[in-house]
Amino acid sequence: MLDAIANFIKTSNEWIWGWPMILLLLGTHLFMTVRTGFIQRKIGTGIRLSVEKDPDAEGDVSQFGALTTALASTIGTGNIIGVGTAIALGGPGAVFWCWITGVFGIATKYAESLIAVKYRVKTKDGRMQGGAMYALDRGLHMKWLAVLFAAFGGLASFGIGCATQVNAIATVCRANLKIQPWIVGVVVGALTAMVIFGGIKSIANVCEKLVPFMAAFYVLGCVIILVINGDFLLPAIGTILTLAFKPGAAAGGLVGSGIMMAMRYGIARGLFSNESGMGSAPIAAAAAQTRNPVRQALVSSTGTFWDTVVVCAMTGLVLVSSIMKNSAIDMGSITNGGELTTLAFDQIPVIGPVILVVGMISFAYSTVLGWSYYGERCIEYFAGKKGLIPYRVLYIAVAVIAPVVSLDLVWTAADTLNALMAIPNLVAVLLLSGVVVKETKKYINDLDAKDTDEVPLLDKDT
């Protein structure tokens, strides 16, 4: 029975992640890049706005709080195990496609966040709620598709947001700390319960403190390894670029898996990592204190920049350069990204495993918290507040049992749910691209001004 379920999930995943999905995702990234006038050029403005307060605006948390909540969800195991898995299954060329998905995905993250704020609503108890479901509902009057997105988002939260993350924590703790998986499940479940029952403000408070620390700690480890692998850094870059485009080619002592495999796993892991186009991060963006949709959209777009353009790129270079330097690493026998990443960090004497363990635990746990909020908003959209307590209880239960579930099956199921969630969100982005262009033209000049206090207030009808 279990084998039949596993085969069904694998077959479904391969079908959903075929060329149509790849073209839809990359096509949207490219289309929105053009439609927004290459909004990636404003990434510096977004970074500046992310650390500025906007206290007079309506919202539940600060813009930085919304960003770190989104980053908590995106900077997770996708940056560590995900990139390793992409290389193991798609070859080193997958790193390029993972990176390029992030570069152009900035435009899609900007667009989906903009419409999330544009069409957000205030509940009777004063909370802000938004996301693709509200954009589809209020902006396009496609209630049925909004419900589908919310359903897929609620289900996806158990996979990408919870099971894969806790499973990864358990794997690392068992390998490095000799802690039994069931103990990890109980501890993570208890810690998660303590935070998520406090709502978005509690989650944002934890993420604001945890995200900067965990990212800096992990990047420091990557920098140390890149220095150790210095002689292989340029050859690694050449190998990644070569194997991204040449089917079955060999470069730098490594053999590619073909352009389709490199694209398939690179783009899939890129989406898993930065979530551009998936519609998850805009749910947090809608809760931000912001005066206009463009302001928060620029802040949210920096999440993709930090996650993929910086962190995932560094992970990819660390892994490929480590493979090239250490001939003892047999890529033919490695199918688990965590194993590959562990071998790379073992190059740092004494503290290497510590950096990996701390990075993995903090990345994964923060993702568990961020995705619990996404799932709650999706559930509340079609089930109301009465669905929140049952959802939280089930979410915690998944965290407890996740360590004893097959990691490969969980990753495959998560990939499938990611795609199913992305499709209705991309429909909203594409059909509302005219709104995105209009709002961008309306506010972008003001956001370029040095005195951001002169930015117009959010229109009352939005």
Side-chain angles (χ1 to χ4, degrees):
M1 183 64 178
L2 290 177
D3 289 340
I5 294 175
N7 289 332
F8 173 76
I9 293 176
K10 183 178 180 181
T11 301
S12 300
N13 181 259
E14 291 174 350
W15 180 79
I16 291 174
W17 273 108
W19 275 108
M21 184 61 197
I22 289 176
L23 292 175
L24 174 62
L25 186 62
L26 275 183
T28 301
H29 290 350
L30 293 170
F31 178 72
M32 293 313 303
T33 295
V34 174
R35 285 286 276 162
T36 58
F38 200 78
I39 198 67
Q40 289 89 336
R41 63 193 170 85
K42 297 295 183 182
I43 200 68
T45 302
I47 293 173
R48 172 172 59 83
L49 291 174
S50 69
V51 294
E52 292 181 356
K53 292 184 178 180
D54 198 7
D56 297 328
E58 288 189 307
D60 300 330
V61 296
S62 68
Q63 288 186 287
F64 185 69
L67 174 63
T68 52
T69 299
L71 276 173
S73 304
T74 54
I75 300 183
T77 57
N79 298 88
I80 303 176
I81 290 180
V83 176
T85 301
I87 293 173
L89 300 178
V95 175
F96 172 81
W97 292 108
C98 182
W99 184 79
I100 208 70
T101 299
V103 172
F104 290 103
I106 290 173
T108 300
K109 180 67 71 68
Y110 168 83
E112 62 186 358
S113 299
L114 189 153
I115 60 177
V117 177
K118 171 77 176 176
Y119 295 105
R120 68 182 180 177
V121 299
K122 180 184 286 188
T123 62
K124 292 181 180 179
D125 55 0
R127 294 175 296 118
M128 285 293 187
Q129 294 188 5
M133 55 280 205
Y134 292 94
L136 287 164
D137 190 347
R138 301 183 68 219
L140 295 171
H141 307 292
M142 300 172 73
K143 179 76 173 182
W144 64 275
L145 198 54
V147 172
L148 275 181
F149 172 85
F152 290 141
L155 290 173
S157 69
F158 295 112
I160 181 178
C162 188
T164 58
Q165 310 300 327
V166 183
N167 194 301
I169 293 175
T171 300
V172 169
C173 287
R174 185 170 189 172
N176 295 276
L177 303 176
K178 309 305 178 184
I179 299 176
Q180 291 300 310
W182 70 269
I183 296 177
V184 173
V186 171
V187 172
V188 173
L191 291 175
T192 301
M194 290 171 60
V195 178
I196 67 174
F197 276 94
I200 180 60
K201 292 183 179 180
S202 175
I203 294 171
N205 286 336
V206 174
C207 292
E208 282 184 359
K209 298 175 178 63
L210 184 59
V211 169
F213 161 76
M214 72 183 192
F217 192 69
Y218 178 72
V219 167
L220 175 62
C222 288
V223 170
I224 294 173
I225 295 176
L226 291 177
V227 171
I228 294 173
N229 296 349
D231 293 341
F232 295 87
L233 185 56
L234 290 179
I237 294 173
T239 297
I240 289 170
L241 295 175
T242 299
L243 297 184
F245 297 99
K246 293 186 177 180
L254 294 172
V255 178
S257 299
I259 185 172
M260 180 58 188
M261 293 291 282
M263 289 183 69
R264 182 254 185 271
Y265 286 105
I267 293 173
R269 290 296 180 253
L271 175 60
F272 188 98
S273 174
N274 65 57
E275 300 175 16
S276 292
M278 196 189 303
S280 50
I283 297 174
Q289 296 167 345
T290 185
R291 285 172 284 175
N292 67 66
V294 169
R295 183 185 180 101
Q296 182 57 38
L298 286 171
V299 172
S300 294
S301 70
T302 65
T304 298
F305 172 78
W306 294 120
D307 179 85
T308 306
V309 179
V310 178
V311 179
C312 277
M314 293 187 71
T315 301
L317 287 174
V318 162
L319 297 182
V320 176
S321 63
S322 296
I323 295 168
M324 296 176 70
K325 179 182 179 182
N326 300 283
S327 58
I329 297 179
D330 180 14
M331 288 302 295
S333 64
I334 295 177
T335 58
N336 187 301
E339 181 183 352
L340 182 57
T341 308
T342 298
L343 291 173
F345 274 82
D346 280 344
Q347 296 176 100
I348 306 178
V350 184
I351 65 170
V354 175
I355 293 175
L356 182 60
V357 170
V358 173
M360 177 64 74
I361 293 175
S362 57
F363 277 28
Y365 178 63
S366 66
T367 300
V368 171
L369 297 181
W371 263 94
S372 70
Y373 177 72
Y374 297 160
E376 282 192 13
R377 297 288 72 77
C378 288
I379 295 300
E380 187 172 357
Y381 175 76
F382 64 79
K385 291 187 69 175
K386 65 181 180 294
L388 295 183
I389 297 300
Y391 170 81
R392 290 170 180 170
V393 171
L394 183 57
Y395 194 83
I396 293 167
V398 170
V400 173
I401 67 173
V404 297
V405 178
S406 170
L407 182 61
D408 291 338
L409 180 60
V410 170
W411 273 95
T412 303
D415 261 355
T416 304
L417 288 169
N418 291 352
L420 291 174
M421 188 177 173
I423 292 171
N425 177 64
L426 293 175
V427 169
V429 170
L430 292 172
L431 295 184
L432 291 171
S433 61
V435 174
V436 174
V437 172
K438 180 181 177 181
E439 294 292 328
T440 301
K441 289 180 179 179
K442 184 176 181 180
Y443 292 116
I444 202 71
N445 291 333
D446 296 283
L447 289 170
D448 283 337
K450 291 182 179 179
D451 186 2
T452 57
D453 289 335
E454 296 179 1
V455 179
L457 295 175
L458 184 67
D459 291 342
K460 293 181 179 180
D461 63 354
T462 62

